[in-house]
Each structure stands twice: as structure tokens, then as C-alpha cells.
Amino acid sequence: MAPIPPGVLAVFLVVLVALALFVTEPVPVDVTAIGVMVALLLIQPASAALATIGLLGDPIVLFADYPADALSGFSSEATLTVLAMFILSDGVQRTGVVQRLGARIASFTGDSMDRQLGATIGVVAPISGFINNTAAVAILLPMVTDLAERGGTSPSKLLLPLSYASMFGGMLTLIGTSTNILASELSGRLIGRTFTMFEFTQLGIVVSIVGTAYLLTVGRWLTPERIKPRQDLTEEFEMGEYLTEVVVREDSPLVGQQVRRALEETDFDIDLIQLIRSGEVFLEPLGPKQIQPGDVFAIRTDRDTLVELLDVEGLDVVPTAVDESELEAGEARQNLVEVVIGPGSSLVGESLASASFRQRYNATVLALRRGQELFRRRMDNVTLRVGDTLLVQATADSIERLDANRDFIVAQEIEQHDFRGEKTPLAVGIVVAVVGLAALDILPIVVSALAGSLAMVATRCLRPGELYDAVQWDVVFLLAGVIPLGIALESSGGAALLAGLVVAVGDLLPLVGVLAVFYLITAILTNVISNNASVVLMIPVAVEAAQTLGANAFSFILAVTFAASTAFMTPVGYQTNLFVYGPGGYRFSDYLRVGGPLQLVFAAVTTVGIAAIWGI
């Protein structure tokens, strides 16, 4: 066996480290991707220095045009197209058209879970074909949780299908996912053929029909009811032992002190939720208020801390159950909600304390849910992740500001006053024009998408300052960072080496079997690392393998693309899976139980469909 060239070893080392970081996520995936790019940039000059002192035979050359090729992710058509699609999606979202559509559909579903499930899938799948599927789930998640609440259905029964349907709906068009756009660019560079707007719509429809049938039958049976049909948010978060009302006695040492100094800045694990004084209810900010005898505070704490607090501070327990209705008494509008940490949120990697959550948002976090895990004490120092669900109490105005903040997804529908409903025809028309110009090959998709983004601002569907908030910058930097890895994998010979290992399977299987192997390998990889990273790693290998076998390379690219966009088996495989992880109260194993069979069904349907439509 010939020795492996140093260039291949260097790239493989970068890939292995990147895979470990993608799986364990000690830093966000976009930071890992930029680290990959920097590592690849350093390999050539470092190897040249080693060659100069005789420690290496020849310098390692990974990029023909150094450093431009290593930085090409930032100028890539895929990166710019994805950036523009985020802007287009946001322009549509701000008109409220998707929310209005969801509300109309919800009006006839009633308490029938069949109709609720059908409506959830029927709305999100087609929408995900034309606006980014991650954005589609973020927009529709509040509608679906409200749908479950009004119909007396467990949200767990609807949220996982919402995520899955957005994934296979994203395979209806080129612009449904960032993965499709990236795969199209890689295909153009490697075999000179990019995807047209509706290149795989025929197969996408078949996959969507099969996926819908599965979710309405087998999937419905397998999807667990982790959260009971909601009656009371405090019950859902099991807050009975952690919520109490206390009254300030005449002889309390707290009388005359500011709330901030007396209670908020103590060592007690306690959160003040609201103050009731002379029948009037006060919410955040409570810190500046002076404590008076007879003040009643609703607090979050555990029983041991409560006993200690009563002994030291001159407080008595009020024998009143603190439930959702009690916590909603201070406002005419909703002020107790679930809030999900969104993708690219500035709070990811922070804690409630380090982010100064209470002070910044004038809101109190009563509990934190991560899948099935509940935190109801000592939450301030828990490091926050995408998909974490916070039980938040605040004024209605603060809740509305949280809903408008792209760091969060409020999991209940909040009455909005700033939707630009009059701009709906313009926003939808711009998206239709972008799709039409690209589909008719009048303009490349990157040109039509960028022009559409500019049109969103020119028509005031978006304000100039909202452009930057519209973009999920973590995805943009992820793409920019991993694209050079694909170039290096190909130029170093690493892709050819890996392809040779897979080709060995070709002696045992027919070509359609090898195609299925690529689908399954990519699907498994995507379920543990970023979908975009798996496309970058697998497409060069798939092309090399297809060319070695004399097969249709385009078909192999499509198999990798479909597999990378349908990661059903883990909550970390796709951002939409993380969105529903907390609100649905799921366990990690639920994704494997419901998504595993669906992944196998898709492997068969996709590979047979590709063979039938494009040939192998």
C-alpha cells in the first residue's frame, strides 16, 4: 500500500479535529468553521518553513491560488445567495402573511389531532420550499403550540412533525435550504453542472408525500406525548414546589429598604416575580421600589431556601397557590410565556447572570427546560444553548419586545402591532420574481436574490437597519469557513482516497446500492455535525467515487444533498430539531425512535427516485 501523502494527512487531521469540535460544540459551529479556514491557511506557509529546514520533503500545496482559494468562502455564490435568502425570508415574515395564513388554518382544525397534524405539515412543507426552512419553523412554532393548546393536544405530538416537514419541504426547490444552495455551487465547481430552481422538485414532491404519509400514520404512533395537553404553564414546568407568596411583617428588617438591595442582591437562590401592594400588581422592574409592611411578593425558590428566608427576613407565607392565573393578574394581556433561545442568539454560550437577563429585558426567568431536563433552582449560571426553553414572566410590553428580538422565539402567539400587512403583495411579489428570474435562467440565483434583497429595502418591506438582524450570521460564517475545506479535500487527494474505500463496496453491491451507501453515510454524518459541513465533506468524495465507477456523478451529488437536508435522528442534526427540543420536552432518544425509520424510508425512496429520474 502506497504511503499517504503529507497533504492528505494534514487535511484529514483538520477534518478529524473539526468533526470532534462539531460534535462536542465547545465553541459554536461557526467559530469552528472559521478555525478550519485559518488552519488550512496556515498549512502551506508552515509546511514551506518545515521544508526549508529539511523536516519535510516538499511544501504542502492545498490551494492553487493562495490565499484567495482559502478565503473563497466569503465571496462564494452560495454564501451570498444564502445571505440574500435570509433577507428575503425576513421581508416576507415582517408582513405577517405566514402568521395570518396559520391563523386561518388553525380556525378549522378544532380539537381533531388528525386535522392539527395535517395542517401543521400542510403549512410548513410548501412554505419551506420558498423561504428558508429554519425561518419557517421559527415563524410557525408559536402557531403550532397555540394550535395544540386550543385543541387540547400535547405540543409534543405536533412539534417534531413540524421540524421534519420543514426539512423535506425544503427539498422542493433550490432555495429551500442553505444546504441545497451550497451543494449546487459544489456541483458546478466539480462537474460543471449546478442545480436549477426546480431541478429536484419532482423528487421533492415524492419525498414530501411519503414523509407526510409516515408522519400521519407510523410517525403519529411513535411520537411520544412528553408534555401533557397544556392547562397551566406552571404545571407544565412543575413549579408547584418552587412558587410561593410571602408577606412582609411590620417588624421585618426589610421595611424601608430598596427591593434591589434587600432581596435581589442577596446570596439566596430567589427570584422576585411580582409585588402586590394594596391590591395593585407590580412587575419588573421591582429593584427601585421601597419595601413596605404588608407587601406581598410572589417568589421563585426551593423549600429549604424559603425556610431560611422566613427566619432571617421577617416574612410570612401566604397560603395561596401561585399558578398561571395568579401570575397573569398584573396585566390585561399575556405576561407568562415560554421563550426559546433562537439560532445565532447572542445568549448562546452565556448564562442568565452573565447576560444580565433580568436587567436587560425587564423579565424574570422562572424555569429552564432542555429537552426533558428541568432547571428550577440555581439557573443563573447554566450555560444557555440553542433550543433551551425559558418560562418567563414580564410585562406585556416586555414580552412583545422579546418576541421582536431575533435572539428568541416566543412559543405562544403574541398580538403584534408592527406587522406591515399592506406590504404583503410587494414582499410576496419580490420572492416570486426572484424565483421566476432564476427558474427561467434569466438571471443567476445569486443575482436575482441580491436584487430581491435590495428591492425589499427599496419598497420598505424592510428598513435598512433591519438587514443585519435578518441574516443568521452564524450560518454565513459556517459556509464561509467550510467551503475551503472541500477545496482542500479535493486538491490534496483526500477525496480520491476516501472514494477508493467506498468504491470497494462496489464489488459487492450494484450501483444503486453504492448510491444508497452514500446517502446513509451522509445522513449519519449530518445527524452529528452541521448539514453544510457534511455536504462539503461528502460531495467531493461522491464525485470521485462516481467517476471511478463510471456512474452518473450528478446522481451521487443529489443523494448527498437530499441526505444532508433530512437529518431526523438527533436533535443536533438540524437547527429546526433543536428549536422544538425544549418546547416539545423531548428526549434525545425520541428523535432516533421517530426519525430512524423515516431516515431508512427516505434512503430507499430517494435512491430509487434518483435512479429512476436521473439514472446512475
Side-chain angles (χ1 to χ4, degrees), residues 366-384:
L366 308 184
L368 185 156
R369 184 169 62 217
R370 179 175 293 157
Q372 280 251 297
E373 191 176 7
L374 275 172
F375 300 85
R376 287 154 301 188
R377 57 191 302 271
R378 300 295 177 189
M379 295 175 290
D380 283 354
N381 296 314
V382 175
T383 302
L384 299 172

Side-chain angles (χ1 to χ4, degrees), residues 223-298:
T223 304
E225 188 178 287
R226 294 296 179 203
I227 294 176
K228 299 301 178 185
R230 203 189 95 191
Q231 300 298 321
D232 186 300
L233 273 173
T234 60
E235 291 180 11
E236 182 181 318
F237 280 80
E238 301 174 17
M239 296 296 298
E241 295 293 315
Y242 295 87
L243 295 177
T244 311
E245 283 188 352
V246 294
V247 62
V248 180
R249 295 200 306 261
E250 292 276 355
D251 61 349
S252 171
L254 300 179
V255 173
Q257 296 188 49
Q258 276 193 333
V259 169
R260 180 184 295 111
R261 293 181 180 175
L263 292 171
E264 288 184 356
E265 296 178 358
T266 68
D267 292 330
F268 290 118
D269 177 29
I270 175 177
D271 281 314
L272 301 184
I273 304 168
Q274 63 186 23
L275 163 65
I276 304 171
R277 176 180 291 168
S278 302
E280 188 176 358
V281 179
F282 299 92
L283 304 178
E284 286 289 348
L286 297 175
K289 294 189 179 300
Q290 278 199 332
I291 299 174
Q292 300 178 10
D295 281 351
V296 176
F297 288 99

